[in-house]
Amino acid sequence: MADTDLVPAPRQLREVPPRDGRYVLDQRTMLAAEPATEGVARWLRATVGAATGLPFPAGRSGSGIWLRISPEIAERWGPEGYRLVVDGYQTVIDGGSAAGVFWGAQTFRQLLGPDAYRRAPLSRNQAEWAVPCVTVEDSPRFTWRGFMLDVARHFMPKDGVLRYIDLLAAHKLNVLHLHLTDDQGWRIEIKRYPKLTEVGAWRDRTRVGHGKSQIWDERPHGGYYTQDDIREIVAYAAERHITVVPEIDVPGHSQAAIAAYPELGNADAVDTAALGVWTDWGINPNVLAPTDGTLRFYEGVLQEVLELFPGQFVHIGGDECPKEQWRRSPAAQARIKEQGLRGEDELQSWFIRHFDTWLAQRGRRLIGWDEILEGGLAPGAAVSSWRGYAGGIAAAEAGHDVVVCPEQQVYLDHRQADGTEEPVPIGYVRTLRDVYHFEPVPPQLAGTERAKHVIGAQANIWTEVTETQQRVDYQTFPRLSAFAEVAWSAADRRDWPDFERRMERAHYARLDALGVAYRPPSGPYPWQRRPGVLGRPIDGSPPIV
């Protein structure tokens, strides 16, 4: 039955057969929101109400939809757990918290069918809106179910970010990691440092494609979010029980900041005044100088970031930091000697530890890519394990929380098939099935006490080669639907043939109604089925970089 083909798969679904086995909604169907669930009621009226044309008046008597917080659900399933009971008379959604009620409301929307995902009723008359009589008991496997969106390489306007928040919510994902700064652009307004956006948010041109492509788009590219834009994004996400985690990259991936403020770079090793916002891709040699001035500058940046993002975690990057400029810099060498460090690698660790301590003193937790492990971390710091599982294993063994996001499995900018038909065929081949079979807990940790440090998983979309919303959609979906089931559903609940059937019978139609330009299950769109994309053939499965 397509209406019960839920994605992600719930822990338990039982069909209940009272009367005709359906609960029918009409103009009189009331919506009763008990204390702390009013936000979920607003969301239901704004989405399901808009799609169905039903008003869902407030009420506490008669047939209707009941939203309730349940201590029993919280104790049994945790704050994000829920129980959804639909009988022939009413629908009751009990959650361990408002978040649990919200995830139950997402399940209720799926049960209504794909047209419940539209923004207005269809012109043809909908005879009736009904949901099957079922009981669903559900809760997530992981507390961090994340998606990283790189808005630094190619800027995504605010409305696109809000749209992705809705897509994450529809899949019960609860963390949006925004990659806000990089060599190619600075995307967040910092009032005390206006040149970060006046200069750092714009580059002169852009390489089209990746690696050895010789095609250039000569148009300037850029954009940024004002602080009010950020407040809106954070509030919009919070209404959907999604936490936005900002990433301010240090000490590498920082040329956009250096272009705006040359004193941040290693001016005693390179002419930083001649640097602009980087127009190319890859690992950039221009990194931050390990000076007191740089530390104070980024403390100022982070002070404003903390005011905008109330969540627990702040991501500071920490990856891919070449050391050649530090080797040539008298100031960097003096810092190494002053701190008693054993070379440039420990200098990077000193830089990261400074901000680890600074954030911890303000009640926040640092998280960074797995390179940050190399010099030791404060007890509360966490690690995004992107270079395979090794960083995650090392972090967990050292007592640090881990978000598992290995590029070999869940970098969604990587190609989805072998051959040259993919729009830009970079990276490893990772099909929908490959993503579905990703297991966040490494075998070395499974069944051990250390496994508790795997707090979740994350899929990442880097945007060097995804320059438009359509291209981001194509690379992200439907693979993010598979990832959502990995992050939400119990490991023993996952079943690939069953997932394929649920996608075909119901979920592709939901994505269609949401306007997602996903990669068709049959393969690339016809206009993409041509050889020699960017004149670069591919062979085998090693990554193309």
Side-chain angles (χ1 to χ4, degrees):
M1 183 176 182
D3 287 344
T4 57
D5 289 321
L6 302 178
V7 175
R11 285 184 177 271
Q12 188 175 71
L13 182 149
R14 300 188 303 275
E15 296 189 15
V16 183
R19 290 196 283 272
D20 61 356
R22 299 186 307 158
Y23 173 56
V24 178
L25 288 70
D26 59 28
Q27 295 289 325
R28 298 166 296 176
T29 301
M30 64 89 181
L31 179 55
E34 296 198 354
T37 68
E38 295 88 353
V40 181
R42 282 195 300 273
W43 177 85
L44 276 168
R45 289 191 179 100
T47 55
V48 175
T52 61
L54 300 177
F56 296 119
R60 293 186 178 278
S61 63
S63 174
I65 303 165
W66 295 80
L67 309 178
R68 309 185 305 198
I69 305 294
S70 166
E72 180 261 327
I73 295 292
E75 183 176 354
R76 183 179 179 189
W77 298 114
E80 292 189 284
Y82 69 90
R83 180 192 295 119
L84 167 65
V85 179
V86 183
D87 61 29
Y89 180 71
Q90 64 183 0
T91 295
V92 178
I93 304 174
D94 289 312
S97 67
V101 176
F102 182 72
W103 303 132
Q106 290 288 353
T107 297
F108 176 74
R109 190 186 192 187
Q110 288 199 13
L111 293 172
L112 279 168
D115 286 345
Y117 288 82
R118 299 188 180 275
R119 296 188 183 184
L122 300 180
S123 57
R124 59 179 171 81
N125 291 328
Q126 176 88 30
E128 64 179 19
W129 289 92
V131 290
C133 291
V134 295
T135 296
V136 179
E137 292 182 329
D138 202 8
S139 63
R141 181 183 181 192
F142 294 109
T143 58
W144 183 303
R145 306 179 301 281
F147 175 67
M148 191 219 71
L149 179 61
D150 171 13
V151 295
R153 271 54 175 272
H154 278 101
F155 178 65
M156 180 178 284
K158 179 191 68 179
D159 284 354
V161 176
L162 298 178
R163 173 177 176 267
Y164 258 82
I165 289 170
D166 282 329
L167 293 174
L168 299 187
H171 289 82
K172 299 186 174 75
L173 298 173
N174 69 342
V175 175
L176 172 61
H177 169 177
L178 277 183
H179 184 76
L180 290 164
T181 73
D182 214 297
D183 299 305
Q184 298 86 1
W186 184 283
R187 306 294 178 214
I188 178 173
E189 177 188 29
I190 302 297
K191 291 187 180 294
R192 72 188 70 188
Y193 303 127
K195 290 182 182 179
L196 286 173
T197 47
E198 291 171 2
V199 175
W202 306 92
R203 61 176 179 265
D204 293 337
R205 65 175 188 163
T206 302
R207 187 186 293 275
V208 178
H210 207 273
K212 297 179 181 179
S213 167
Q214 296 304 307
I215 303 172
W216 291 86
D217 182 345
E218 297 294 345
R219 297 172 298 176
H221 176 85
Y224 66 93
Y225 309 110
T226 68
Q227 293 200 356
D228 281 347
D229 290 337
I230 293 293
R231 291 185 181 97
E232 181 182 357
I233 288 168
V234 169
Y236 193 85
E239 278 273 314
R240 289 146 184 82
H241 300 276
I242 292 171
T243 299
V244 183
V245 174
E247 181 179 352
I248 306 296
D249 221 329
V250 297
H253 291 289
S254 298
Q255 185 165 322
I258 297 168
Y261 292 93
E263 63 272 22
L264 296 174
N266 297 280
D268 56 353
V270 65
D271 182 8
T272 58
L275 296 176
V277 177
W278 206 30
T279 60
D280 213 339
W281 314 125
I283 299 176
N284 188 318
N286 295 300
V287 301
L288 296 174
T291 63
D292 289 343
T294 299
L295 298 181
R296 300 294 89 77
F297 183 97
Y298 273 87
E299 288 170 3
V301 169
L302 290 171
Q303 282 176 2
E304 296 191 26
V305 168
L306 296 188
E307 292 170 2
L308 296 168
F309 296 91
Q312 184 180 29
F313 286 98
V314 175
H315 206 292
I316 52 76
D319 64 318
E320 297 179 331
C321 178
K323 310 299 193 300
E324 181 56 34
Q325 288 183 3
W326 288 351
R327 294 186 184 97
R328 303 200 316 264
S329 163
Q333 293 302 310
R335 179 69 79 182
I336 290 171
K337 183 176 180 181
E338 169 200 318
Q339 296 293 322
L341 305 175
R342 292 177 297 178
E344 292 76 21
D345 288 342
E346 285 199 1
L347 182 59
Q348 180 177 352
S349 300
W350 168 85
F351 198 104
I352 297 299
R353 285 199 306 273
H354 174 86
F355 289 103
D356 189 3
T357 301
W358 189 91
L359 287 167
Q361 289 171 344
R362 288 154 181 81
R364 303 298 185 94
R365 296 179 65 185
L366 178 146
I367 184 169
W369 305 112
D370 53 57
E371 287 96 326
I372 69 171
L373 277 170
E374 294 164 5
L377 293 170
V383 171
S384 300
S385 184
W386 75 277
R387 296 180 298 175
Y389 288 112
I393 295 168
E397 289 178 341
H400 295 289
D401 287 341
V402 181
V403 176
V404 183
C405 51
E407 66 167 330
Q408 297 88 343
Q409 279 82 22
V410 288
Y411 270 31
L412 301 184
D413 48 306
H414 287 197
R415 67 194 193 268
Q416 301 177 69
D418 225 343
T420 57
E421 69 271 14
E422 290 299 307
V424 183
I426 67 166
Y428 298 92
V429 174
R430 287 298 172 260
T431 65
L432 179 66
R433 182 171 186 166
D434 291 333
V435 173
Y436 190 80
H437 286 299
F438 164 57
E439 172 48 48
V441 179
Q444 297 90 328
L445 299 179
T448 72
E449 180 67 16
R450 295 165 296 170
K452 69 181 182 183
H453 288 296
V454 180
I455 60 173
Q458 183 168 288
N460 298 335
I461 182 78
W462 301 99
T463 59
E464 291 97 328
V465 300
T466 50
E467 66 280 2
T468 65
Q469 180 175 287
Q470 181 189 26
R471 286 281 296 110
V472 174
D473 277 10
Y474 180 90
Q475 292 301 124
T476 301
F477 289 97
R479 292 186 293 182
L480 192 67
S481 303
F483 172 81
E485 188 146 312
V486 170
W488 177 278
S489 303
D492 61 2
R493 181 67 181 84
R494 302 209 315 260
D495 181 319
W496 166 250
D498 179 58
F499 174 77
E500 261 196 319
R501 284 192 294 271
R502 285 181 279 125
M503 291 293 295
E504 291 286 351
R505 295 196 303 191
H507 204 65
Y508 286 118
R510 296 179 192 126
L511 296 179
D512 288 333
L514 285 164
V516 178
Y518 57 85
R519 184 184 191 272
S522 58
Y525 292 105
W527 61 268
Q528 291 166 340
R529 295 174 189 150
R530 62 182 188 274
V533 178
L534 295 180
R536 297 186 297 107
I538 64 173
D539 53 358
S541 62
I544 297 172
V545 296

